[in-house]
Amino acid sequence: MKLAIGSDHAGYELKKTVYSWLESNGHEVEDMGTYSNDSVDYPDYARKVAESVASGQSDQGVLLCGTGVGVSIVANKVRGIRAALAFNPEIASLARQHNNANVLCFPARYSDPGAIEKSLENWFAAEFEGGRHERRVAKIEP
Ligand code: RB5
């Protein structure tokens, strides 16, 4: 799968770990920054990842910031993006099954690599259930 990944400074260290894990699991991953621990503004990176997914350049997106909240707010402003804050692996499964999330966001300051990898595994393995969820997802875009 073609993936875009991004973070602010708070997610930078964990992003490197997640990037390597995704690549070693066979994904083609584009790292859209940030590229150091220097303080930056999360909207700049969240928007890049969201636009890459919305345009079809990437199939799915992964975002990290301190809480995951900032990046999820920004990504959800981009038309066609359904970004979910995956604060545990079960939420990650449900974000696909019920919401067909196309961007997964993580709270870097409250997560460990194992939980993020399990969440990503669940998200990739899960399938959108359609049916009543299809109707609800269709009502999201204004
Ligand atoms: C950065 O300190 C922090 O505010 C940011 O990473 C994020 O948590 C915002 O939602």
Side-chain angles (χ1 to χ4, degrees):
M1 198 172 334
K2 272 181 90 173
L3 301 172
I5 190 168
S7 76
D8 69 355
H9 54 286
Y12 171 66
E13 293 296 338
L14 211 40
K15 173 166 66 69
K16 288 191 287 185
T17 306
V18 174
Y19 178 94
S20 301
W21 182 84
L22 288 168
E23 274 209 324
S24 67
N25 278 270
H27 299 288
E28 187 185 325
V29 194
E30 186 174 359
D31 184 351
M32 303 194 145
T34 186
Y35 305 112
S36 79
N37 285 307
D38 295 345
S39 183
V40 292
D41 300 332
Y42 60 82
D44 299 335
Y45 303 93
R47 191 167 294 115
K48 276 188 195 172
V49 168
E51 286 176 349
S52 176
V53 175
S55 71
Q57 183 189 329
S58 305
D59 300 316
Q60 313 278 339
V62 177
L63 284 166
L64 304 98
C65 69
T67 58
V69 173
V71 288
S72 59
I73 290 171
V74 175
N76 277 314
K77 299 277 184 198
V78 175
R79 194 169 182 82
I81 293 303
R82 293 175 301 280
L85 180 50
F87 49 86
N88 70 41
E90 192 182 349
I91 300 287
S93 296
L94 289 164
R96 170 78 71 214
Q97 291 165 348
H98 290 188
N99 314 107
N100 205 14
N102 49 13
V103 174
L104 215 54
C105 304
F106 293 102
R109 288 183 175 143
Y110 304 90
S111 302
D112 58 74
I116 291 183
E117 289 160 11
K118 182 67 186 147
S119 295
L120 288 166
E121 262 176 21
N122 286 0
W123 187 49
F124 294 138
E127 286 186 15
F128 181 48
E129 289 177 1
R132 67 188 187 283
H133 301 297
E134 180 82 61
R135 185 181 69 240
R136 292 165 186 166
V137 166
K139 287 184 176 182
I140 292 174
E141 293 287 351

